[in-house]
């Protein structure tokens, strides 16, 4: 076995020469198609993480790869100093998908959230007349919005924020899913300094936490009454994951600002965006915000194909249909006492392991040995989020493996 094919040697070299800001499971992948990936020894695994939902359309989706390949040999970068032919179709179609009229494209999810934060503040000063330097944004406990200094500054996870400060002021944290707490935070704003509420409609990294049914509609009503923007971070929950285009749709809630990323780049390259009305995004004037790679031709080509597939609606329907099957089977495991709780919507689930079954990492390692890629989070929670293109029999096989590991 050459070093290139020897997983232990590759893992040792990665450990020696890269920062340990991740703790990957011991598998070295080399190719992928649909919901399946292959490691350097030729062993196949079913991917139940899908790049944290960046791979909603699976590995190597033929339509996305065809668009990317065609664009690669034509034009890949212009910077926004010039127009390019792929830009207008992408922003037009994405705005339409969201029912809004403006898009500001960026690259990573964290950049899109930063863009939303800056835009909400500027909107507050220029449109709402908030006194200079006083704008505040209300966020939820257990949030995950990305890794920049500003964003981890209002994280409640010590792993994310400890020893990374000092942080950006101007954020108020309230418990997630608690409408009374949100109402109190908005009422406690005599000077009208709160410009926005920033939320994940379903909290992904926290363990796929779905708020009570009246929460998002309640927050929508409260923010509308007070002229505060509702900004939905749908980077992980959006673009088909929950069985709808947006998780907010399940409660018939339309936010003022959509923050998108992950699957928008089809698992091919980082593509993110803030989508809103021209009243909101129109506050950004030339030179006031930007990104060298944001909205590049390659990103627009892939992003447009993602939007086109979402407008066809099949991927959402598939997630809803297979998601019912997933949650039905996981519900049985709760009934049998090996899981204490299952949360989620569509092909997206957070599973809390019953005490005595080992840590999430231990169970994920057992699943890996059986050919399943699953990621643990917060000690005893497993997250299941397969590519939405997964075949029904593959999902059934995965559920059988999970049952055998948990029940025996
Ligand atoms: C992943 C994620 C982000 C950050 O995206 P990056 O591309 O990793 O910067 C932000 N918000 C949510 C809800 C996410 O899941």
């Amino acid at each position: 076995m050459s070093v290139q094919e020897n997983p232990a040697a590759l893992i040792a070299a990665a450990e020696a020469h890269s920062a340990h800001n991740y703790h990957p499971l011991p598998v070295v992948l080399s190719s992928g198609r649909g919901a399946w990936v292959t490691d350097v020894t030729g062993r196949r695994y079913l991917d139940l993480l899908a790049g944290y939902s960046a791979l909603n359309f699976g590995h190597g989706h033929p339509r996305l790869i065809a668009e990317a390949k065609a664009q690669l040999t034509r034009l890949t970068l212009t910077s926004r100093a010039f127009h390019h032919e792929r830009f207008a179709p992408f922003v037009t179609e994405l705005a339409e998908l969201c029912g809004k009229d403006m898009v500001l494209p960026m690259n990573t999810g964290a950049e899109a959230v930063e863009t939303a934060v800056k835009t909400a503040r500027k909107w507050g000063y220029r449109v709402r007349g908030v006194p200079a330097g006083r704008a505040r944004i209300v966020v939820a406990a257990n949030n995950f919005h990305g890794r920049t200094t500003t964003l981890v500054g209002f994280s409640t996870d010590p792993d994310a924020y400890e020893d990374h400060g000092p942080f950006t002021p101007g954020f108020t944290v309230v418990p997630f899913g608690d409408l009374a707490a949100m109402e109190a935070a908005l009422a406690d704003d005599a000077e009208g300094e709160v410009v926005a509420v920033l939320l994940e409609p379903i909290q992904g990294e926290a363990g796929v936490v779905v708020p009570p049914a009246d929460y998002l509609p309640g927050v929508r009503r409260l923010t509308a009454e007070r002229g505060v923007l509702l900004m939905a971070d749908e980077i992980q929950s959006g673009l088909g994951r929950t069985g709808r285009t947006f998780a907010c749709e399940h409660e018939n809630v339309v936010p003022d600002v959509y923050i998108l990323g992950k699957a928008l780049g089809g698992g091919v390259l980082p593509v993110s965006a803030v989508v809103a009305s021209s009243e909101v995004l129109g506050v950004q004037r030339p030179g006031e915000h930007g990104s060298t790679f944001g909205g590049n031709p390659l990103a627009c080509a892939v992003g447009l194909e993602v939007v086109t597939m979402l407008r066809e609606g099949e991927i959402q329907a598939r997630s809803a249909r297979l998601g019912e099957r997933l949650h039905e089977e996981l519900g049985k495991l709760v009934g049998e006492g090996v899981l204490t709780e299952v949360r989620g919507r569509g092909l997206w689930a957070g599973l809390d392991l019953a005490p005595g079954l080992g840590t999430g990492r231990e169970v994920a390692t057992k699943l890996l040995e059986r050919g399943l890629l699953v990621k643990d989070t917060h000690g005893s929670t497993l997250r299941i989020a397969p590519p939405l293109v997964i075949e029904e029999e593959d999902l059934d096989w995965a559920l059988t493996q999970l049952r055998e590991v948990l029940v025996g």
Side-chain angles (χ1 to χ4, degrees), residues 105-322:
M106 297 293 285
N107 311 285
T108 67
E111 285 178 311
V113 182
E114 287 275 350
T115 300
V117 165
K118 287 169 73 176
T119 301
R121 287 173 166 185
K122 185 170 282 185
W123 173 85
Y125 300 128
R126 298 199 178 169
V127 177
R128 271 264 315 273
V130 173
R134 307 285 307 178
R136 266 193 301 131
I137 295 176
V138 176
V139 298
N142 302 321
N143 68 72
F144 183 86
H145 295 292
R147 299 292 195 168
T148 65
T149 8
T150 289
L151 302 179
V152 300
F154 59 82
S155 169
T156 56
D157 177 1
D159 284 346
Y161 67 77
E162 248 172 29
D163 292 332
H164 287 149
F167 299 119
T168 314
F171 298 92
T172 302
V173 184
V174 297
F176 183 65
D178 181 342
L179 196 55
M182 180 63 74
E183 188 157 18
L186 293 177
D188 181 29
D189 177 32
E191 276 77 52
E193 296 169 353
V194 174
V195 294
V197 170
L198 168 64
L199 289 175
E200 299 156 83
I202 295 176
Q203 290 188 325
E205 297 305 301
V208 193
V209 179
V210 183
D214 64 349
Y215 183 64
L216 293 173
V219 174
R220 176 66 286 187
R221 178 175 46 76
L222 292 169
T223 48
E225 279 167 13
R226 302 189 65 94
V228 166
L229 300 177
L230 176 57
M231 307 204 291
D233 180 347
E234 293 250 20
I235 289 170
Q236 192 166 157
S237 60
L239 310 186
R241 176 50 60 190
T242 66
R244 301 281 180 88
T245 305
F246 303 109
C248 284
E249 270 176 60
H250 290 280
E251 325 289 359
N252 295 313
V253 163
V254 178
D256 299 294
V257 176
Y258 287 104
I259 307 171
L260 305 174
K262 292 201 166 108
L264 191 57
V268 176
L269 76 173
V271 183
S272 68
V274 174
V275 187
S277 68
S278 46
E279 182 207 299
V280 175
L281 272 174
V283 299
Q284 295 293 7
R285 311 296 309 162
E288 296 177 353
H289 185 66
S291 160
T292 304
F293 283 87
N296 70 71
L298 191 56
C300 290
V302 174
L304 176 60
E305 195 62 15
V306 165
V307 171
T308 303
M309 289 199 278
L310 286 165
R311 293 193 72 182
E312 291 165 7
E314 268 169 47
I315 202 84
Q316 298 91 319
R318 198 178 170 80
S319 176
R321 183 168 63 77
L322 295 183

Side-chain angles (χ1 to χ4, degrees), residues 33-37 44-50 55-59 61 241 314-315 317-326 346-348 371-374 384-400:
R33 201 78 183 151
W36 290 89
V37 288
R44 294 176 81 224
Y45 300 82
L46 186 62
D47 181 0
L48 295 188
L49 181 66
L55 287 155
N56 282 1
F57 298 92
H59 297 269
H61 192 289
R241 176 50 60 190
E314 268 169 47
I315 202 84
R318 198 178 170 80
S319 176
R321 183 168 63 77
L322 295 183
E324 261 177 48
R325 176 152 198 85
L326 171 71
L347 274 175
W348 200 21
L372 279 181
L373 299 186
V374 178
I384 294 189
L388 306 179
V389 298
I390 189 172
E391 297 294 341
E392 188 161 351
E393 56 264 37
D394 291 340
L395 180 64
D396 285 344
W397 176 77
L399 287 164
T400 304

